[in-house]
Amino acid sequence: MKSSMGKTITTTRAQESTNAIERMYITMRHLFNRGFYKPNGVSGEALKNALLQLRPEIYGSVGEDKAELSGLIYVLERLPEGIEQCRFISLTSDEGYGISHIHPIIPPKRRRNCYRIDNEQMNIEITRGRSDIYDILTHLTFLFIESEKICKRVLIPDTEKTIRDWTKLEAAVHKKELTQEEREIALIHTANILGRSFEEILEVYKKFSTKANPERFLKVIYWLGKLALEEEITGEKRAITFSTLLRERLGHHIHGEIWANNIKSVLSKQDLLQRPIHIISANMHSVMNSMFAKSALSKEFPKATDLEIYEALSSAENGHLRKKVTSLAEKNGMISIDDTSGTNIDVQIFDTAKIRKGASSYELPTADNHKKPVIFVMDYAFGEQAYETIDELLKPYNIKKNDESLINVDSVSIMGKAGILEGGKGDLMIPSAHIFEGTADNYPFKNELCAKDFEGHGLKVFEGTMVTVLGTSLQNKDILKFFHKSTWNVIGLEMEGVHYQKAIQSASKIRKSIGEGVKVRYAYYASDNPLETGSTLASGGLGTTGVKPTYLITDKILKQIFNS
C-alpha cells in the first residue's frame, strides 16, 4: 500500500488480525440481518477467509493441510452432539421446543438448549444475546474449514471417486461394533486422511470416546468429510438460518428482563429490597462453601485446611458432601433461584440476618437485622449478556402500578476466569480499567480490591488494564503481543468486564437507580495463557489449579463486605 508521498506503508500482523476480527463481526451481523447463509457461498467463504487470515491460537493448525485436533475437541465440547451430521443448522429464539417431545441436547461446556429436529437439522436456542451467536458461528466456521480439508484429502482430483482410506473408514463406521484390531486399522486410515500420526489420533480417539458412543471420533471425522463430499459431488449445500423470532427479539433484553423481575419479586416478598444488597457474579459454589463448608463438614474434616475441604468439594464423586453444605446453607437463610427465563443464570440469595451463631466461618456484622447485608450471587453471564442482565437488575422495581422501588445496591463484585498475558494458569489479575477490543472505549474505575490483598499466597498477582474481547476464540499471538507491549498496559483478556461496567456506570452515574457511591470489585484468575503454545483454552481445563484462586478471591470479597 502506498501513501500520497510515495512511501510504502506496511501493516503489522496485529493490525491485519484486528481487521480480520472486524470483518468477521461485520459479516456475521450482516448474515444475521439477512436471515441465512451457505458456508460455501460468498458470505461463508468471507467468514472462512477471515478466520484463516486470523489463525487464532485456540484453533492451532487450522490454516495448515493437516487436521487441527485440539481445536476440534474444544469446539465440539461447545456444540451439540451430532451437529457434524446436520446439513441444516438453525439458530432460533426460545420458541417453545421445550414443550415438544424432542429432548434438548446440552453441550458439556456451554449451557444452551439444542434440538435435533430430524436427521438433517439441528436447532440451537439463543437466549444469551449476540455473543452467543458470534461464538457459535465462529465454531461452525472452524468445523466447515476442517470438513473441507478432509474432502480435499479424500477426493481424487477430476473424478467423483475417493481414496482407499476413506472407503475403509466408511466401512468401519457402518459396523455395529469394532474389535480392537478393526478399530486400530480404522484409526490408521483416519490418521492418513487427517495428515496426523497414529499416536496423535489414538490420543484424541480416547478423549472423544464415551460409554454410549465409543467410536464417536471416527463418526465425527466421517460425517464432517461426508457432508463436504456430498456438497462437492452432488451440489447439496449446507445452510445456516436465523429464525424470524430471533431476529425480532435480539437486543431487546427479553430474557434479561424476565430474569431480573423474577429475582426482584423474590427479594420483595422476602422484604430484602431495602436491605444493603451486595451483588457477586461468581460460580454457584464458592460463596456458599466459603461461608458454610467448614461448619457443615466439621466431622468429616476435623483437621483439614480450608483448601483441602474445597478441593474435596470440587471432586465429582463427592456429591454427598456438597448436599450437606447446601442443606446447612438453606437452614441459615440461603434461597436458591433456578433460572426459568432462558438466561441460564441461576441465583443464590444469602440473608445474613438468618445465619445462626457458629454456622458460618465469618465474623458477621452485629448491626440491626434490617441493616445486615444480603449477598446476591449470580452465575456467570456470557459476553454481552452481562450488560443485559445487570442493566435490568439495577433498574427500579415496580411493586405496584406507578409505584417504583429502587434496589439498595451497596456493591457489585465480579470474579471470573480470564486469559493472562504474563504468568500461568491459576495466577491472578486485578484490573484498574477495562477496554473494549477493536475500539478505544475505556472504562476506568476504582477497584476495591488491589494486588496487595492477594500477596503471600504463592500465586502471581498482576494489576493493570483488562481487554474485553468480542470472543475468546478469535485471539492470536500478534494481537495479544500488541496488547501486552502497548501503552494500554494490558494484563489479560475476558469477555464481560466492559459490559458489566457499562451497566453499573449508567445505573449509578446517569440513571441514578442505585447510589453513586456503589463499590466495585473485579478480580480474575487465569484459565490459560494464550501467548504460550500448549497453554490455551484448547489445552484443557484447570482441574484443581482453579480451586485456590477461586476461594482466595471469594474470601477477600466476603471479608470486605462483612467489614464494610
Side-chain angles (χ1 to χ4, degrees), residues 174-237:
H174 286 117
K175 275 199 166 181
K176 268 197 175 172
E177 216 173 309
L178 296 178
T179 64
Q180 178 71 11
E181 189 185 348
E182 286 170 335
R183 181 178 300 115
E184 286 178 1
I185 290 167
L187 288 171
I188 288 167
H189 289 300
T190 307
N192 199 27
I193 290 166
L194 300 181
R196 291 285 189 171
S197 71
F198 174 68
E199 201 175 2
E200 289 173 302
I201 295 293
L202 191 60
E203 197 56 42
V204 178
Y205 169 85
K206 287 173 189 165
K207 287 179 182 170
F208 270 93
S209 190
T210 62
K211 258 189 177 175
N213 193 357
E215 313 304 339
R216 185 175 172 221
F217 175 66
L218 294 175
K219 289 175 187 172
V220 163
I221 299 304
Y222 169 70
W223 279 99
L224 284 175
K226 180 179 161 69
L227 291 189
L229 277 167
E230 283 178 1
E231 190 157 338
E232 185 66 31
I233 294 165
T234 67
E236 284 199 54
K237 301 242 184 275

Side-chain angles (χ1 to χ4, degrees), residues 262-273 397 399:
N262 286 348
I263 286 152
K264 285 187 269 197
S265 123
V266 172
L267 288 169
S268 175
K269 277 176 196 158
Q270 300 289 330
D271 208 19
L272 301 175
L273 275 178
Y397 179 57
I399 296 170

